[in-house]
Amino acid sequence: MGPRFLKRFADSVCHWRSSDNLLIEQYRTLLPQRPMMYLTIFINILFLDFVSAPSIGSAAFILPLIVCGVIVARIMLLWLPPTTRRVRTIAEIRSSLTGTLAVALMISVVLSIWGALLAYGNGATKAYIALFAVLSTISCAVSLSSVPLAAYIVVAFGTIPISIALLLTGHVMFSSMGANVLLVSPLIVSMIYRQDQQLRRMVESRSAIASEKMKVSELAYRDSLTGLANRRAFLDALRDASAVRPARALAIAMIDLDGFKVINDTYGHRTGDELLVETATRFKRLEMGDAVIARLGGDEFAVLLRDVARSEDAEQRLAQLTRVFDQPFVVAGHVFRLRASIGLAHDVPNSAATLSLIGRADLAMYEAKRAHSAAICSFMPEMEARTRRRIMVEQALADPIENDLITLNYQPIVSAGDGQIIAFEALARWTHPALGVIPPSEFIPLAEQAGMTSRMTMHLLSTALRAASAWPKLIGLSFNLSGAELNSPSIASRILTMVAEHGFDPGRLSIEVTETALLGDFEAARCALSALQRGGVRILLDDFGAGYASIGYLREIQFDGIKLDGSLIATLIDSSSAHDLLVGVLHLCKAIGAPVTAEMVENAAQHDLLRDLGVQKLQGYYLSRALTPEEALRACSEPKRVLPVRSSIVFLNQRHPKRFG
């Protein structure tokens, strides 16, 4: 019998030190056993009274009747339907088990008193009393086995005294009976002890399983990186909130970290993860009541506000989110300043519209992102209309038949000196039968996002080369290349192959690229542009002056020409600073030897000033709108191929053009 056994035995005796789960299981196991124990005692007492009454007299019925009355009341109480019993607290269970010890002691004393009856009566009476005492103590001990101390009390104060009383009778049969019971008692105690250990192991195993389930549940509903609720938990919370009746208004905010992708790609995923963790930590510190803040994935977060009366109330509570980004983030020795785009949707939920709140908040968030606004953007119905149109445009782009409806018009580029046409810029035009006119600024970005630009680009370039092949050989073709295609490794070879297939002089083709197009993969773009230049194609930097790093690109890539952004031209007449800026840009272009084309020339004053400043080429609605292929061909067939200057008259618009000079 080692220390380990003694400790386990002491634990089985001291039930008040047991865990809550073990106490509950002991109590649950004891409940169905107690009525059977009382019923056994009740039956034995009745029969014992009838046997012992002739020897003891009517006094034999007094104590048994009292005990039987208590037992009957107790049995009725214990056998009440479960629905009529309230759930007990842990403290009440602990108190009930302690009370069981008192009951066990009382039973033991009663059995011992009855054991004293062995001194009275004849041999048959003594034998019956001995049998009753032994059966009662054993059945009580077994019935109380889920509370070991109570069972041990019955054995110690009931079974053992009766065994000793039997030994002291001096009768061979009774003495042997007492010795037998005395030897069996330790076995009963051992059986009760092993049963208790088995119960403890079962409870520990069940608790371990429950703990593992809790951990799994925690993992299933928690974002492993930030510790916030995850998408599943957020959707469950939204479903539960929408199921409350009467329905209460909900508000959902979608949050996207602006510039996170660049940081993640530049500094690595570990730095990006630490940045997300710090963002989540700041979110957790906010005092937002019962709001649910979740990370849905990547750098996208969401907030659920329940019982929000007005959209303004939601904006006021969510204003804390914007202040999270007031202070810079210090991660891995780097200082980052982040901003978040936040979209808000607010509505009274119903079964059909609850999940649409997420979509609406998402639309509002993208609206905030497009507007580069740090303020919270609330959902407006027109956002949904724009989204529906965007989806319809995407579907039309995916349909080859409708995609072929995209055509090209050609806007003249003229010499500033004499107004002679020297090139045409191919401009995509799309008039959809259901959607109407779809401008390139709308469908080109969608085509890039959907990865549809490759087929479209080559189809339109082939169309433009076919049209340009009919022009005089001194007139060039300018064609815009998107950023998605510029980063393609095969774009240069595909363009040069197509030029060769059309028998077109590559020196007549100018590929226009914007600064934005160079931002994706600069090295891939530079390789593609260099390959095109080696093949004889001219490369123009479009929209110069609209970005922030154009001078760096001028140093890295040898452009064959520069096209000024329209923003430099729009305020040229009214702003002296715009005039000075343009003069500086022109000096820069002259220093690198790149001819300059001015776009969006809208009036005579702009035209004259640009020509006086030394701009070589002009393009804009003042000179001519974009022409259909037939109109462009007729313009080329004019004897001098000259467009009207110093006039707002539009060429080929059924008017008589005024010619310069």
Side-chain angles (χ1 to χ4, degrees):
M1 186 181 294
R4 188 176 178 182
F5 170 79
L6 292 176
K7 181 181 183 305
R8 288 202 301 264
F9 186 82
D11 290 339
S12 71
V13 171
C14 304
H15 73 273
W16 51 87
R17 296 191 311 199
S18 300
S19 65
D20 292 348
N21 289 335
L22 181 58
L23 282 175
I24 293 172
E25 191 61 30
Q26 287 176 326
Y27 182 74
R28 188 190 67 80
T29 307
L30 180 64
L31 281 179
Q33 292 176 338
R34 286 192 298 186
M36 305 307 298
M37 177 188 71
Y38 289 134
L39 189 58
T40 300
I41 296 174
F42 176 73
I43 293 172
N44 283 329
I45 285 178
L46 289 180
F47 277 92
L48 182 62
D49 275 344
F50 284 108
V51 172
S52 59
S55 302
I56 303 174
S58 59
F61 292 98
I62 298 176
L63 182 60
L65 287 175
I66 296 174
V67 173
C68 287
V70 173
I71 289 175
V72 169
R74 187 68 174 163
I75 290 174
M76 293 178 63
L77 182 63
L78 292 174
W79 276 352
L80 284 174
T83 53
T84 62
R85 291 190 232 133
R86 65 181 181 85
V87 178
R88 289 178 175 265
T89 64
I90 293 296
E92 289 173 334
I93 289 175
R94 199 181 300 274
S95 176
S96 177
L97 294 181
T98 302
T100 301
L101 301 180
V103 172
L105 182 60
M106 182 189 73
I107 291 173
S108 303
V109 171
V110 170
L111 294 175
S112 296
I113 293 174
W114 240 257
L117 295 176
L118 291 171
Y120 304 94
N122 54 33
T125 302
K126 289 181 180 181
Y128 188 82
I129 291 174
L131 178 62
F132 155 75
V134 171
L135 288 176
S136 296
T137 54
I138 292 176
S139 62
C140 287
V142 172
S143 297
L144 296 173
S145 59
S146 56
V147 186
L149 181 57
Y152 300 157
I153 288 175
V154 172
V155 172
F157 293 95
T159 306
I160 294 177
I162 292 173
S163 300
I164 295 173
L166 288 170
L167 285 171
L168 295 177
T169 59
H171 192 279
V172 175
M173 182 183 68
F174 292 145
S175 296
S176 61
M177 186 183 297
N180 185 22
V181 173
L182 201 60
L183 292 174
V184 169
S185 295
L187 299 179
I188 295 173
V189 171
S190 176
M191 180 192 70
I192 293 171
Y193 169 75
R194 285 196 301 272
Q195 185 174 334
D196 176 68
Q197 294 302 304
Q198 185 177 0
L199 180 67
R200 288 174 180 269
R201 284 193 295 271
M202 183 192 71
V203 171
E204 289 174 1
S205 177
R206 191 180 295 171
S207 299
I209 293 172
S211 177
E212 288 301 317
K213 285 184 177 179
M214 187 175 296
K215 289 179 182 178
V216 171
S217 177
E218 184 75 10
L219 290 175
Y221 285 90
R222 286 287 162 189
D223 178 57
S224 58
L225 177 64
T226 63
L228 294 174
N230 60 13
R231 179 182 292 273
R232 179 179 178 182
F234 184 81
L235 293 177
D236 284 355
L238 177 59
R239 184 178 60 250
D240 293 343
S242 64
V244 174
R245 291 293 179 268
R248 297 178 179 179
L250 304 176
I252 291 178
M254 301 296 288
I255 307 162
D256 190 79
L257 305 185
D258 298 336
F260 174 80
K261 185 178 185 302
V262 175
I263 295 173
N264 198 49
D265 293 343
T266 304
Y267 294 91
H269 294 290
R270 183 173 180 179
T271 299
D273 287 349
E274 291 182 16
L275 197 57
L276 292 174
V277 171
E278 175 60 25
T279 302
T281 301
R282 295 188 183 188
F283 284 161
K284 292 174 186 176
R285 295 182 189 140
L286 299 178
E287 296 292 336
M288 300 186 67
D290 64 345
V292 177
I293 305 177
R295 178 187 175 222
L296 303 186
D299 60 329
E300 189 177 29
F301 298 84
V303 179
L304 171 63
L305 300 178
R306 289 167 281 213
D307 196 14
V308 182
R310 301 177 305 159
S311 179
E312 292 77 9
D313 297 336
E315 289 183 14
Q316 186 175 2
R317 290 175 65 181
L318 292 171
Q320 303 176 62
L321 293 172
T322 60
R323 293 194 289 270
V324 162
F325 303 95
D326 289 345
Q327 298 299 320
F329 292 75
V330 181
V331 175
H334 303 287
V335 179
F336 302 107
R337 289 194 174 274
L338 287 181
R339 192 184 66 186
S341 296
I342 304 175
L344 171 66
H346 171 266
D347 202 356
V348 175
N350 57 61
S351 57
T354 300
L355 290 179
S356 68
L357 272 178
I358 297 179
R360 293 175 182 177
D362 223 22
L363 291 176
M365 183 265 290
Y366 281 112
E367 193 73 18
K369 189 175 287 292
R370 281 193 293 269
H372 301 288
S373 173
I376 297 173
C377 180
S378 294
F379 170 80
M380 303 295 289
E382 52 267 27
M383 296 179 188
E384 208 159 23
R386 283 197 295 270
T387 300
R388 283 197 297 268
R389 177 178 171 86
R390 185 188 71 197
I391 293 172
M392 292 175 69
V393 171
E394 288 175 345
Q395 291 176 342
L397 283 170
D399 187 341
I401 297 176
E402 295 189 5
N403 204 310
D404 289 340
L405 296 175
I406 301 175
T407 60
L408 288 174
N409 282 1
Y410 303 90
Q411 187 171 37
I413 301 171
V414 305
S415 169
D418 57 11
Q420 186 170 346
I421 299 174
I422 56 179
F424 286 95
E425 180 181 357
L427 300 175
R429 295 291 183 265
W430 189 8
T431 302
H432 190 273
L435 298 170
V437 176
I438 308 174
S441 59
E442 182 178 357
F443 70 80
I444 294 296
L446 293 179
E448 289 182 336
Q449 293 171 14
M452 302 176 184
T453 54
S454 180
R455 177 185 176 277
M456 182 190 302
T457 297
M458 302 316 293
H459 168 70
L460 294 178
L461 179 58
S462 178
T463 302
L465 290 171
R466 189 180 307 111
S469 296
W471 303 339
K473 297 192 180 301
L474 293 178
I475 295 181
L477 169 66
S478 219
F479 189 85
N480 293 276
L481 197 62
S482 70
E485 287 307 297
L486 185 59
N487 295 330
S488 171
S490 62
I491 186 62
S493 62
R494 284 188 286 140
I495 290 176
L496 293 174
T497 299
M498 183 167 288
V499 169
E501 289 174 351
H502 283 81
F504 195 79
D505 179 7
R508 294 175 60 194
L509 176 62
S510 296
I511 295 295
E512 297 185 14
V513 296
T514 64
E515 178 185 335
T516 305
L518 298 171
L519 289 176
D521 187 338
F522 180 73
E523 286 304 318
R526 179 162 61 177
C527 290
L529 296 178
S530 297
L532 287 171
Q533 285 179 319
R534 288 194 300 270
V537 177
R538 302 174 74 250
I539 304 299
L540 307 182
L541 179 61
D542 196 12
D543 295 340
F544 181 75
Y548 302 96
S550 298
I551 294 177
Y553 295 135
L554 293 176
R555 184 176 63 250
E556 296 289 336
I557 299 175
Q558 186 65 42
F559 290 100
D560 298 297
I562 303 295
K563 297 189 74 173
L564 301 179
D565 184 68
S567 62
L568 293 174
I569 311 301
T571 58
L572 181 61
I573 303 302
D574 301 324
S575 171
S576 59
S577 60
H579 177 277
D580 295 340
L581 176 61
L582 179 59
V583 170
V585 170
L586 292 175
H587 279 301
L588 174 64
C589 295
K590 183 178 180 181
I592 63 174
V596 177
T597 302
E599 297 180 299
M600 295 178 62
V601 180
E602 303 295 334
N603 55 58
Q606 291 174 344
H607 170 272
D608 293 345
L609 182 55
L610 288 167
R611 189 181 61 175
D612 293 343
L613 289 174
V615 175
Q616 294 95 333
K617 304 173 187 179
L618 303 174
Q619 178 183 358
Y621 198 80
Y622 169 68
L623 300 166
S624 175
R625 58 176 170 80
L627 308 175
T628 65
E630 295 77 13
E631 291 172 337
L633 184 59
R634 288 203 303 271
C636 294
S637 302
E638 288 288 316
K640 293 185 179 181
R641 300 192 303 276
V642 175
L643 292 179
V645 295
R646 298 185 183 278
S647 169
S648 61
I649 298 175
V650 178
F651 182 59
L652 293 176
N653 233 13
Q654 304 300 322
R655 300 177 187 174
H656 298 287
K658 296 180 180 179
R659 302 186 183 279
F660 177 68

